[in-house]
Amino acid sequence: MRGGEVVWVAEVGFLVPRGALLLLGICGALSLDIKTSPEVRGYVGEQVVLKCSFKSSSPISESLTIDWTYRPLSGGRMETVFHYQSVAYPPSTGRFKDRISWLGNAAEGDASIAIESPSVSDNGTFICSVKNPPDVYHNIPQTVLIVTERGFSFQLTSVTLLSIVVFIPSTVVVVLMLVRMGRKSGLIKEKKKPGCKKSSVEESESEYTESCIGRLKTCCLNCVDTDEEEPY
């Protein structure tokens, strides 16, 4: 009896690995490939789209089902918030009642949905699940939804912060240089203010300049008169 048990155990030990390998082979051959965005950001009160695309090794049939599940960021159990099979079945109860609409096209491998009037309390993890029998095995991508107020949605990324740190000091330096150059230029080209009394040197230079100009005018007039009196 004990010998029979040993043989039975040995046979089971041989069959289990073969069955596991066979199951893994089937899963690999029938796996679905699903893609979603790791993170989606939205604004309070504005429609937000959760995109999901899939590829199946089997032809799309009426048996195809699509389910979107949701879990709040605070934790808790996953709950189904949308179901599709030939037609869309939006949620009739729960937090997303009358707020989820179907945007996808199952024939083209699109399982996207939209959430209307999202709020901060909707933040959480969404999972898009697709089954197209016999193709039912697939990866489980997750999408984290982050809804914020539009006025407070700005976040300092490393690139933005670096740009600010470099741009502001550079701008200040350039402005200071321009102001300094403007002041120097203004001092060099500064004109005499009206009503200021001229010095004796400036008066002498002015008289000399006016005398030279007067002599030049007289000379020019004489030349003109001489030319007119010349006979042809």
Side-chain angles (χ1 to χ4, degrees):
M1 188 72 175
R2 184 176 297 276
E5 290 179 357
V6 172
V7 173
W8 180 80
V9 171
E11 289 178 353
V12 171
F14 174 74
L15 291 175
V16 170
R18 284 188 61 187
L21 290 174
L22 181 60
L23 180 61
L24 289 175
I26 294 174
C27 293
L30 301 179
S31 63
L32 280 145
D33 182 25
I34 301 176
K35 294 182 179 180
T36 61
S37 300
E39 182 180 284
V40 174
R41 292 184 175 272
Y43 299 107
V44 173
E46 300 181 19
Q47 183 190 74
V48 61
V49 177
L50 301 182
K51 294 184 178 181
C52 175
S53 61
F54 64 91
K55 291 183 179 180
S56 176
S57 59
S58 301
I60 304 299
S61 66
E62 294 181 355
S63 300
L64 178 137
T65 60
I66 298 172
D67 290 288
W68 279 89
T69 53
Y70 164 80
R71 180 171 57 205
L73 285 181
S74 58
R77 65 182 183 84
M78 299 291 295
E79 59 177 305
T80 301
V81 294
F82 181 83
H83 177 72
Y84 175 91
Q85 185 172 6
S86 298
V87 295
Y89 295 92
S92 56
T93 59
R95 70 168 68 221
F96 295 104
K97 178 182 178 181
D98 301 327
R99 292 200 296 128
I100 293 184
S101 56
W102 170 248
L103 297 182
N105 186 332
E108 296 181 359
D110 188 355
S112 303
I113 59 173
I115 300 176
E116 305 294 338
S117 303
S119 62
V120 177
S121 62
D122 293 335
N123 290 344
T125 303
F126 290 80
I127 295 178
C128 177
S129 177
V130 182
K131 293 182 179 180
N132 184 38
D135 202 352
V136 296
Y137 300 100
H138 59 80
N139 55 322
I140 306 177
Q142 298 184 355
T143 298
V144 177
L145 174 64
I146 300 177
V147 180
T148 59
E149 293 283 353
R150 180 170 283 278
F152 302 94
S153 60
F154 178 74
Q155 294 185 352
L156 287 178
T157 62
S158 57
V159 176
T160 305
L161 184 61
L162 181 62
S163 300
I164 293 175
V165 171
V166 174
F167 177 74
I168 292 180
S170 302
T171 304
V172 173
V173 171
V174 171
V175 171
L176 292 177
M177 290 180 64
L178 291 174
V179 171
R180 187 174 180 182
M181 292 173 63
R183 287 180 178 178
K184 286 184 176 181
S185 176
L187 290 174
I188 294 173
K189 297 180 179 180
E190 184 176 3
K191 295 182 179 180
K192 298 295 181 179
K193 294 181 180 180
C196 293
K197 187 177 180 180
K198 295 183 180 180
S199 63
S200 58
V201 176
E202 291 175 336
E203 288 180 353
S204 299
E205 290 179 352
S206 177
E207 291 176 358
Y208 178 77
T209 302
E210 291 176 357
S211 178
C212 290
I213 294 174
R215 292 176 183 177
L216 181 61
K217 288 181 178 179
T218 303
C219 182
C220 290
L221 290 174
N222 291 336
C223 291
V224 171
D225 293 341
T226 304
D227 291 341
E228 288 178 353
E229 293 176 357
E230 271 187 17
Y232 291 99

